[in-house]
Amino acid sequence: MGTELLAPLDLAFWHLESDAHPMHLGALAVFSPPPDAAQGAGPETVLELLGIRAAAIPRLRMRVRDVLLPVGGAAWFVDKDFDVHRHIEWVRLTEAESRGEDGGFMAGATRLAGELMERPLERGLPPWQMYVIGGAEGGPFAVLVKLHHALADGMRAVAIGAGIFDEIASVAGRARSGMPARRARAVPPRSWMPGPRQVAGLALGRIEDLGRAFGVGASMVRASRLDLRGAPALTASSSGTRRLVTADLDLDAVQRIRRAAGGTTNDVLLAVVAGALRRWMLERGEPLPAEDPRALVPVSRRRPGQAAASGNKLSAYLLGLPVSEPDPWKRLRTVRAAMDRNKAAGPFRGAGAVAVLADQLPSLAHRFGAPIAGNAARMLFDVLVTSVPLPRSALSLGGCPLRAVYPMAPLARGQSLAIALSTYGGRVQVGLVADGKALPDLERLAGCADDEVAQLLALLPAQ
C-alpha cells in the first residue's frame, strides 16, 4: 500500500480535532471467560494476539503527513518505523473488578474506557490504539479500540476492527497463505491522458457535485439557528473530560414494536432515544426545550457490493427528536414520518448532508476553516445518534466469546452527549459518551432508554 491522499471529508475530520475534542471513534468489546478454562487467553496472550492481528491489517500501518500539493492537503504514508507495541496496552483493574464481583467489572471497564477516550491519538503515529482492560486469569476482560475518524467511518471501522477476531483472522490468514495467486488478465495499456468523452463526463460530474453542494449549503443556512441555548443538558460548556455509560436493550422487544408500528428498527431506536431524553430531562427537573432538540443521524454512502474504500463515505439526516410529545406511540410515528421524508429526499440533500458539502471544499479550506466549522455544529444539531452495523455471527478472541460491543462516537464542540447503537447477540448495545462534568447523571439516561422500550412494549396490545 503506497501513498494515498486524504479525501476532503477525511481531511476535515483530521483538522477538526483539538485537545478537548479528539476526533476518534471507539468501541468497547467485552469478552467472557472461555468455556474451557484450560484454553483461555490470559492478558499476555491477548496482547500478543492483538499485536499479531493488528500488524497484519495494512491500513493500521499508515500515518498522516502533510504534502506540498494540493496546498493544505495531507496523505497516508506507510510508517517505516511502525511498532505495533506502541499501539497496544494492558490497563489493570482491581482484583475484584477483574473477576466481576458485584458487577464491578463493567463499572470499572466503562470508567476506564471513558477516561481513555479523553486522550487524543498521537498524530505522528498511525492514528489508532487498543487497550486490554482487566484480563485477570479466568475472568472477563474488555478491549477498547480507538480509530481516528479520518481513518474510517463506522462501517469501515467495523471492517478494520473485525480483523482481531478469531473467526475473521483465520479466514484472512488462509486467504493470504493458502490461496494460489491468480494470473492477471492482460490489459492493454491506457493513456494517462483522458479522452474527450472522459473529459466531458468528468466536467458534468463536477458540475453536478458543485450544484449538489450549493443546495446543501443553502439548506444549512435555512436550517441554522441563531439561538444556541437549546436543551441545557445537551449544550453545556466543554470540560474536555469524557464519560462512558452503556445500556443493553432487548432486541426481540424492539423488533416486536417495529412489526406493530411499521418502519425500521432504526426508527424505533430513534424514538426510544427521544423518549429517554424526555424522561431524563423531566426527572432532572429541567424544563423541556421550546424547540425539540435536533439529532444528526449519519447515513452511509457505501453501496452493497461496492469495494470497501478507505476513509469516510458519509452523509447524514437531521431529525427533530419529539421530546415535547408525551405519548410514546405518537413520538414513534413522528420519528418514522420524519425519517421517511429524509429518505425520500435522499442522503445528498438537506442541511444534514454536511459531509457532502465538506467533500467539495479544497484542502486549504479544511485546514483553516475547521475551527469555525466545529464551533458551528451547535447551529445545526444538538446530539449525534448513530447506528453501527456489526457481524451477525458469534465472534471470539483467543477462544473467549464476545459478549457485547458498545460503540462510541466523538463529541462535537459545544455538545455534551453522543449516542451510538449496535446490535449483537440478540441485544441492542448502546454507548453513551458524554462530557464528564456536564452530565454526572448519565447512568439515569441509560436507564430511561430501557424504561422507554418497556412502556412501548406495554402499550403494544392496545395498538
Side-chain angles (χ1 to χ4, degrees):
M1 184 177 288
T3 303
E4 175 190 340
L5 284 174
L6 269 73
L9 183 54
D10 302 339
L11 194 63
F13 285 128
W14 188 248
H15 290 306
L16 275 170
E17 184 166 70
S18 68
D19 287 343
H21 290 90
M23 288 302 298
H24 49 252
L25 310 170
L28 183 68
V30 182
F31 296 88
S32 297
D36 182 355
Q39 298 177 0
E44 292 84 1
T45 304
V46 171
L47 283 172
E48 182 181 1
L49 201 56
L50 283 175
I52 292 170
R53 292 177 179 174
I57 300 171
R59 176 58 57 177
L60 297 185
R61 302 178 69 93
M62 303 191 78
R63 67 185 184 93
V64 176
R65 279 174 29 196
D66 292 341
V67 294
L68 293 175
L69 293 174
V71 177
W76 293 103
F77 289 81
V78 174
D79 185 358
K80 296 179 180 179
D81 299 319
F82 176 75
D83 181 358
V84 73
H85 298 100
R86 299 178 71 176
H87 298 267
I88 298 176
E89 183 181 341
W90 177 21
V91 184
R92 294 176 182 270
L93 296 175
T94 66
E95 187 69 19
E97 288 174 334
S98 294
R99 296 193 177 280
E101 296 175 9
D102 300 322
F105 169 73
M106 277 305 300
T110 53
R111 173 185 58 79
L112 272 175
E115 295 172 2
L116 294 168
M117 287 294 286
E118 293 177 12
R119 305 178 187 175
L121 294 162
E122 190 171 338
R123 292 171 77 88
L125 298 174
W128 64 275
Q129 197 77 26
M130 294 185 191
Y131 302 89
V132 178
I133 299 175
E137 295 289 347
F141 66 93
V143 175
L144 173 64
V145 180
K146 292 166 53 175
L147 297 173
H148 200 285
H149 214 330
L151 181 66
D153 55 27
M155 289 185 68
R156 181 63 176 158
V158 170
I160 292 173
I164 71 171
F165 295 111
D166 299 338
E167 295 76 8
I168 296 170
S170 62
V171 171
R174 288 196 300 269
R176 283 192 298 268
S177 62
M179 294 294 290
R182 290 185 178 181
R183 183 182 296 275
R185 290 188 304 165
V187 178
R190 297 176 61 186
S191 170
W192 64 272
M193 289 286 289
R197 290 185 179 179
Q198 289 174 293
V199 170
L202 289 171
L204 286 173
R206 183 61 176 162
I207 290 170
E208 289 176 359
D209 288 343
L210 291 174
R212 183 181 293 148
F214 180 81
V216 172
S219 297
M220 287 175 60
V221 172
R222 291 193 297 268
S224 296
R225 302 168 299 185
L226 296 180
D227 185 352
L228 301 181
R229 286 174 294 179
L234 304 180
T235 55
S237 300
S238 173
S239 68
T241 61
R242 291 293 178 271
R243 219 162 152 241
L244 169 67
V245 169
T246 62
D248 287 85
L249 308 178
D250 185 348
L251 179 59
D252 180 64
V254 171
Q255 296 289 20
R256 287 175 60 192
I257 296 165
R258 179 195 62 78
R259 287 192 293 270
T264 67
T265 300
N266 201 44
D267 293 341
V268 176
L269 292 176
L270 289 167
V272 168
V273 168
L277 286 172
R278 174 186 169 84
R279 291 168 179 271
W280 179 60
M281 290 175 183
L282 292 174
E283 286 186 7
R284 297 175 113 222
E286 187 175 303
L288 296 177
E291 180 182 351
D292 284 336
R294 289 179 184 172
L296 187 74
V297 183
V299 56
S300 175
R301 290 191 282 159
R302 301 179 191 274
R303 295 291 176 263
Q306 186 181 38
S310 60
N312 289 266
K313 298 290 181 183
L314 285 175
S315 184
Y317 298 136
L318 277 185
L319 172 69
L321 296 171
V323 300
S324 57
E325 172 54 60
D327 186 286
W329 279 93
K330 287 184 180 179
R331 283 197 294 270
L332 177 50
R333 287 193 289 268
T334 300
V335 166
R336 181 187 172 189
M339 289 301 288
D340 284 347
R341 289 193 296 271
N342 277 328
K343 293 168 191 173
F348 298 100
R349 296 177 60 186
V354 288
V356 175
L357 179 60
D359 263 339
Q360 305 307 317
L361 297 178
S363 303
L364 207 56
H366 288 303
R367 183 174 290 271
F368 293 107
I372 298 173
N375 290 323
R378 285 178 58 188
M379 297 176 67
L380 276 181
F381 67 96
D382 302 292
V383 59
L384 177 72
V385 184
T386 183
S387 294
V388 182
L390 293 178
R392 295 183 180 181
S393 57
L395 299 171
S396 61
L397 175 62
C400 299
L402 176 65
R403 189 168 80 199
V405 180
Y406 301 97
M408 288 170 274
L411 285 182
R413 284 184 175 90
Q415 294 170 350
S416 53
L417 175 67
I419 302 172
L421 309 100
S422 63
T423 301
Y424 179 79
R427 306 288 291 173
V428 178
Q429 279 119 26
V430 187
L432 304 165
V433 175
D435 183 284
K437 293 185 178 178
L439 301 183
D441 57 342
L442 193 59
E443 287 87 355
R444 186 57 204 138
L445 177 57
C448 287
D450 203 38
D451 294 342
E452 184 69 10
V453 172
Q455 184 172 13
L456 281 166
L457 201 61
L459 295 173
L460 196 57
Q463 301 301 310

